[in-house]
Amino acid sequence: MMHAVGGRRLLMKVFLVLLVVLSAVAVTVSVHESRRLIAQLQTEQRSSVRLQSVWSQLQLEQGTWGSYSKIEQLARAELHMHMPAAQEKVVVQP
Amino acid sequence: MTQVAGKRRNIAGGYHPGRMLFVFGCWLFCLLLLLWRAVDLHLVQHEFLQRQGDLRNLRIEPLVAHRGVITDRAGRPLAVSTPVTTLWANPREVLDATEKWSLLAGNPVLDSVALAARVKRHADREFVYLARHLAPADAQKVLRAGVPGIYPLTEYRRYYPAAEVTSHLVGFTNIDGLGQEGMELSLESRLAAESGSKRVLRDLRGRVIRDIELIKAARSGEDIALSIDLRLQYLAYRELLGAVTELHASAGSLVVLDAWTGEVLAMVNQPGYNPNNRARIQVEHLRNRALTDVFEPGSTIKPLTVAAALESGLIDLDYRIDTSPGHLRIAGKTIRDAHDYGVVDLTTLLARSSNVATAQIALAMESNLLPMFLDRFGLGNSTSSGFPGESQGFLPFRARWHDLETATLSYGYGLSVTLTQLAAAYATLANDGVRLPVTLLKRETPPSNSGEPVISRETARSLVSMMEAAVADTGTARRARVAGYRVAGKTGTVYKMTASGYADDRYLALFAGVAPLERPRYVVAVVIDDPRGDDYYGGLAAAPVFSRVMAGVLRTMRVSPVVTVDAAANTGEAPL
């Protein structure tokens, strides 16, 4: 009887030690994972800042190349376009 | 041998409490030593050690925030912040590595000769700017060369892609990114970005391994859409610039309003400036004259005088006034018309711009009734635009009115308004008599029930159709016509007030009008300040600008033409 109780206690101890080891491993894994994710977050944040700056530069570029004065100048000078005078227009009613 | 054996026996068999005590004593001493050390480290030196550890592992990292983008109503950018790189150097470090300078030889951005000159001049310092506000790609060209002691610094610079076209309205920021003028100033609290910071834990290799705490959250500025349409803004800019240049005028302003929403669709002034290059800027060119400068509106307020008389029940639409002999003498002064128009109806009054008829109507009105009406139209009151430096204008209220004061007020002297106030008053006429607050910000939906009825719908509609006569063949503003559309408006030619009273050879040419008459929606108001030459009349100097701008507005806003155009009526090449 005593022997059986002692055996069960030993089993319990072994089980608890196993749990402790497992939890230690889990802590290590989760710390590693969290570091990896933070590194990834850092990379993403950096690229967000970079993309933001690229975006603002592209907006400026578009604003410059697509400015109405530039388009008008090109349309008139290079493509020889003009606004149709009123009598050149035909209104198509739907 | 025996001795040794004896000793062994002693060890095995004997018990020496002294030795035992000695060993225990040693252990206890060691234990106490360790305990003391632990206490020392954990309690006594804790703070110092913690700080030292943090110094090695904790870092404060900046969190970047951007100033908000200002766009037009369709999202076209008008003011954008973009990162630029400033290069700085520590001259001592640079001077220690003279042999590496050749790496920058012939560099297009920063040449080794320039570098040498710069660092040698400031050899005793630890910080010197090499080049400020470079494009990041250019800065990389220098940094990649790898000369020691050269470092980058990220700064933000505000660019204005539309430059002069929107400069008065948008304004600009200073080198620290704070709004100085225009919407950049009035919207500062919404546009401003607050960069933040956070504390992080780093490992030996400098990689961040944990966020410890957020010290201050970064707050990026709000992106704000203005009410203007860049297409119309450019059109207005070009036409106003053309007119001011052609007439050798000293200044000019133009406002386009959407009468249904109260939004400003375009607002331009001359002379202007380029906000991207403010090296040689003249302070007087910075003014957004359409909101800051006041003038006497002259004949352009005649429709409002007539509206007041109609609305008060003093006259009806069939009222006729005898203007013979073309002048009227009040208190020793003579009010004149250009010709003797005889008996005129209200339409002719507006078409020919008769001062005599307008004065007679005003004299029949109760005093203070006219200024009260003008007040309700918003003259003499700041618009709700919130623009910095906006003028309020001036409306006279008197206890006792002299006839001459009443008469001159009726045709637009003795009060002062901004061009935007004038445009807003015409927008009230166009919007069936309901006055909407003017805004420079995009309204997602037209304001419902926020309008203030100033005059009845019937009065407003009949006034607009009466004003169409001004662009007819007998009117003062034939050149305001827009081929293919029905428009209405009123001219004004005002003597300029100078230090010595009214100048007799300096004028303001004015025109304010609405279109399309089937459903009046767009209002264009123009003022040309001091046009030189003989074409100084509102109908000659300002009306053609109205015509060209309104033609572009109607086309851009996809209003289909309704009037069949014959070749003769065509006013020439319309603007692109």
Side-chain angles (χ1 to χ4, degrees), chain A residues 52-53 56 68 72 83 87, chain B residues 66 76 82-83 234 238 570:
Chain A
Q52 176 83 38
S53 102
S56 66
Y68 293 104
E72 173 172 7
M83 277 303 299
Q87 65 267 39
Chain B
H66 300 265
R76 304 175 187 99
T82 186
Y234 170 66
R238 199 192 58 187
N570 184 30

Side-chain angles (χ1 to χ4, degrees), chain B residues 59 61 201-209:
Chain B
R59 286 288 183 279
E61 296 228 315
L201 189 66
R202 304 217 279 190
D203 68 5
L204 273 177
R205 288 189 228 163
R207 291 176 305 198
V208 172
I209 53 173

